[in-house]
């Protein structure tokens, strides 16, 4: 590794080292802080006894199920609104009235209707994922090269054929950008719901570690959640580059 | 204009449909109150002042946390963004932290500060600072390099460069970041109120749900939606006002 690439790593490593030394020297006994080495040990132990892998599976299951449902709904609405100007204008007030409701406010409604568990979490994640998907896919569909639409008219494609053969392929790079954004939101909302109320997954795990005054385990969960978030984003960026190449980067920029 | 009216009519149609479903008891009224009952609960809440107090509580959490995050985010962002050295050493770590679900910091904050008002403010500010700080750094990095050359030619001091050149030209980015943070602040306010039982709409909707008072619950959710809507409109107005000079683009 060249020196240039190592530079960004210097600061976090130095901070961890100072933190470690400071806690060791001060003999700090704390419910909220633990030396990085203890956090690492706790992380390794929790990974080995499968508590963290199981919690991760639960969280990702709920996040991805919600993401799938939410993005299908958002995509369908986004394409419909993007293709039909009339529909878009008619639904504007309804959409603008529902969209600003913070997803987490639905938590109590989902709680009394569905109880604890996967279902309520999935519903809330889906609600949160609909909006970015709807808005961005609508813009993407609107941005489809007008000449392609003229071609589709010249070829006398039916509306369904036009959407499947022209609109979706042309808008796909930007739709994927929307999907990547939604995936990040899905994970955030899933963890938030678990921390707030749902006894499931990583969010519940970190809350339990806090209540058990296990600072090392709590921070281990925090680090792990960070790794999951970073890894998910990285994976989607790689997929995006592979699938769309330059088109995706252009789509992200505009 | 006709479209606008038609659009409102469609929305009214949906409310009508909701009323119909509630009246026919297609979904148990324990879960779904009609719009009439939600509205009555909303009005009663305002008349007795219960809901007003909760609304003010939530707005306070949101505003304090967001303002603290804005000040700190712009200051830190300007500091990091205006120095090449800091950009190389610090910015990548920040990018690494960006996808972290900020709510995961809540247990840590509870462990350090307890279930207090201070914990809520810390969490909200911590969550809301990222979009603002990263947008500021980005805005500073994207300043037209020729403007810096001009500044050097005029022998401006570093603070002068920051205030006269970098900040104004980064303003669109910063405002976009602040708008994003506003949503984050609202969501985190609700979560903190739910967890710590602080006075606010989050606590109100949770209590209503526990007591199966669905009309009160929907009143709270409607009010939260309205809060999100009004704050985002206010932000757009402020944005248009502050960026009026930019209209030549």
């Amino acid at each position: 590794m060249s020196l240039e690439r190592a530079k960004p790593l210097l600061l976090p490593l130095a901070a961890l080292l100072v933190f470690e030394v400071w806690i060791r020297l001060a003999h700090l006994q704390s419910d909220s802080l633990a030396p990085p080495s203890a956090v690492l040990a706790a992380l390794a132990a929790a990974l080995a006894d499968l508590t963290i892998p199981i919690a991760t599976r639960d969280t990702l299951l709920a996040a991805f199920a919600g993401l799938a449902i939410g993005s299908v709904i958002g995509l369908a609405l986004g394409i419909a609104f993007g293709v039909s100007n009339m529909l878009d204008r008619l639904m504007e007030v309804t959409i603008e009235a529902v969209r600003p409701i913070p997803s987490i406010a639905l938590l109590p409604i989902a709680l009394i209707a569905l109880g604890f568990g996967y279902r309520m979490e999935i519903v809330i994640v889906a609600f949160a994922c609909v909006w970015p998907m709807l808005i961005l896919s609508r813009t993407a569909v609107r941005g489809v090269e007008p000449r392609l639409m003229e071609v589709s008219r010249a070829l006398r494609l039916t509306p369904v054929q036009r959407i499947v053969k022209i609109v979706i392929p042309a808008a796909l790079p930007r739709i994927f950008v929307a999907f990547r954004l939604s995936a990040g939101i899905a994970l955030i909302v899933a963890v938030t719901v678990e921390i707030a109320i749902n006894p499931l997954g990583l969010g519940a795990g970190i809350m339990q570690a806090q209540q058990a005054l296990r600072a090392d385990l709590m921070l281990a969960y925090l680090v792990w959640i960070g790794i999951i978030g970073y890894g998910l984003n990285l994976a989607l960026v790689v997929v995006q580059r592979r699938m769309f190449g330059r088109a995706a980067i252009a789509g992200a920029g505009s | 204009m006709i479209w606008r009216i038609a659009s409102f009519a469609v929305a009214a149609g949906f409310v009508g449909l909701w009323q119909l479903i509630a009246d026919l008891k297609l979904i148990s009224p324990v879960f779904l109150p009609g719009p009439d009952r939600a509205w009555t609960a909303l009005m009663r809440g305002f008349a007795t002042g219960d809901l007003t107090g909760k609304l003010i509580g939530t707005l306070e959490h949101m505003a304090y946390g967001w303002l603290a995050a804005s000040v700190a985010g712009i200051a830190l962002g300007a500091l990091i963004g205006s120095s090449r050295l800091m950009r190389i050493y610090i910015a990548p770590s920040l990018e690494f932290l960006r996808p972290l679900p900020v709510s995961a910091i809540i247990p840590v904050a509870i462990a350090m500060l307890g279930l207090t008002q201070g914990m809520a403010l810390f969490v909200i500010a911590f969550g809301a600072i990222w979009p603002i700080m990263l947008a500021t750094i980005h805005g500073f990095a994207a300043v037209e390099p020729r403007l810096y050359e001009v500044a050097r030619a005029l022998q401006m001091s570093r603070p002068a460069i920051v205030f006269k050149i970098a900040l104004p030209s980064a303003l669109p980015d910063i405002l976009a970041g602040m708008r994003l943070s506003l949503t984050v602040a609202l969501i985190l306010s609700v979560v903190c109120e739910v967890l710590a039982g602080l006075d606010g709409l989050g606590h109100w909707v949770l209590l209503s749900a526990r007591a199966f008072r669905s009309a009160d619950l929907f009143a709270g959710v409607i009010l939260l939606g309205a809060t999100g809507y009004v704050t985002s409109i206010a932000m757009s107005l402020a944005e248009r006002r502050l960026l009026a000079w930019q209209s030549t683009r």
Side-chain angles (χ1 to χ4, degrees):
Chain A
M1 190 190 280
S2 69
L3 187 68
E4 246 352 89
R5 290 192 57 185
K7 273 181 178 172
L9 290 174
L10 274 176
L11 179 85
L13 287 178
L16 285 178
L17 198 67
V18 169
F19 196 49
E20 174 87 39
V21 169
W22 173 61
I23 290 189
R24 294 273 174 214
L25 287 183
H27 292 291
L28 201 67
Q29 285 293 326
S30 166
D31 298 337
S32 56
L33 292 175
S37 55
V39 173
L40 215 57
L43 182 60
L47 278 172
D49 72 6
L50 293 184
T51 45
I52 282 191
I54 289 172
T56 310
R57 185 202 64 197
D58 288 345
T59 298
L60 289 182
L61 205 65
F64 285 147
L67 175 65
I69 297 170
S71 28
V72 167
I73 297 173
L75 186 62
L77 289 175
I79 290 176
F81 292 174
V83 171
S84 158
N85 207 2
M86 192 178 80
L87 197 62
D88 184 37
R89 286 175 146 182
L90 281 178
M91 292 298 290
E92 193 189 344
V93 171
T94 313
I95 296 291
E96 287 306 311
V98 180
R99 190 162 73 98
I101 298 178
S103 49
I104 223 71
L106 293 186
L107 199 130
I109 299 180
L111 183 64
I112 58 171
L114 302 169
F116 293 111
Y118 288 110
R119 283 193 304 166
M120 65 96 111
E121 196 171 321
I122 291 170
V123 166
I124 296 171
V125 172
F127 178 84
C129 290
V130 164
W131 308 112
M133 211 60 195
L134 192 167
I135 307 277
L136 291 174
S137 58
R138 183 177 63 184
T139 327
V141 169
R142 289 246 177 88
V144 169
E145 171 71 41
R147 263 177 240 163
L148 286 177
M149 303 306 269
E150 282 166 24
V151 168
S152 79
R153 232 166 288 145
L155 292 174
R156 312 221 170 157
L157 296 181
T158 61
V160 175
Q161 279 176 325
R162 198 190 321 161
I163 289 172
V164 173
K165 292 192 173 157
I166 307 251
V167 173
I168 293 185
L172 203 58
R174 295 178 71 183
I175 289 175
F176 193 85
V177 173
F179 180 76
R180 188 158 67 86
L181 198 72
S182 300
I185 293 175
L187 183 68
I188 292 174
V189 172
V191 171
T192 308
V193 169
E194 287 162 2
I195 284 179
I197 211 152
N198 205 13
L200 199 76
L202 292 169
I206 193 172
M207 281 311 275
Q208 274 161 19
Q210 185 263 316
Q211 277 152 14
L213 304 181
R214 285 278 313 274
D216 52 344
L217 186 59
M218 173 179 80
L219 293 174
Y221 266 108
L222 184 67
V223 170
W224 182 252
I225 292 173
I227 293 174
I228 296 283
Y230 187 77
L232 181 66
N233 187 39
L234 197 67
L236 287 168
V237 169
V238 169
V239 171
Q240 189 182 353
R241 287 226 181 99
R242 275 279 165 76
M243 276 170 66
F244 305 113
R246 289 166 59 88
I249 295 156
S254 61
Chain B
M1 198 59 214
I2 293 172
W3 283 111
R4 198 93 192 135
I5 296 167
S7 186
F8 270 105
V10 170
F14 275 107
V15 175
L17 189 69
W18 172 15
Q19 181 76 59
L20 200 67
I21 291 173
D23 284 348
L24 294 176
K25 297 204 165 68
L26 291 179
I27 297 173
S28 163
V30 178
F31 303 140
L32 187 80
D36 50 342
R37 276 176 58 210
W39 184 254
T40 322
L42 192 63
M43 287 302 121
R44 195 180 53 230
F46 276 127
T48 56
D50 283 356
L51 216 45
T52 327
K54 304 286 180 189
L55 177 63
I56 292 172
T58 296
L59 287 178
E60 263 176 9
H61 294 147
M62 205 179 146
Y64 289 148
W66 182 70
L67 285 177
S70 300
V71 172
I74 294 172
L76 283 174
L79 202 66
I80 297 168
S82 64
S83 138
R84 215 177 62 85
L85 209 62
M86 289 230 223
R87 273 217 299 271
I88 292 174
Y89 282 98
I90 299 181
S93 315
L94 298 179
E95 286 295 332
F96 180 78
L97 285 174
R98 195 224 290 263
L100 176 78
V102 279
S103 48
I105 203 73
I106 292 177
V108 182
I110 291 177
M112 286 199 284
L113 302 167
L115 294 171
T116 57
Q117 206 81 265
M119 182 278 291
L121 284 184
F122 173 78
V123 168
I124 297 163
F126 181 87
I129 200 172
W130 294 104
I132 302 175
M133 186 164 69
L134 292 170
T136 310
I137 295 175
H138 176 255
F140 268 64
V143 171
E144 167 73 48
R146 264 179 236 161
L147 288 177
Y148 281 141
E149 283 166 20
V150 170
R152 226 171 300 138
L154 292 175
Q155 300 198 317
M156 289 166 83
S157 63
R158 198 170 152 199
I161 293 176
V162 167
F163 282 103
K164 290 189 176 150
I165 293 182
L167 268 183
S169 82
L171 195 61
D173 286 305
I174 297 175
L175 288 173
M178 286 171 77
R179 166 203 284 282
L180 217 62
S181 294
L182 208 53
T183 322
V184 177
L186 178 58
I187 289 177
L188 287 174
S189 306
V190 173
V191 175
C192 287
E193 285 158 12
V194 165
L195 274 175
L198 301 172
D199 230 17
L201 289 171
H203 191 222
W204 167 276
V205 289
L206 187 71
L207 283 187
S208 308
R210 290 231 168 106
F212 287 97
R213 293 195 317 255
S214 60
D216 285 342
L217 167 57
F218 273 70
V221 172
I222 290 170
L223 215 47
L224 278 171
T227 308
Y229 189 62
V230 170
T231 47
S232 117
I233 296 261
M235 192 67 211
S236 314
L237 288 179
E239 231 170 302
R240 208 172 301 160
R241 197 69 190 272
L242 286 168
L243 296 180
W245 53 271
Q246 220 198 2
S247 58
T248 45
R249 272 209 326 197

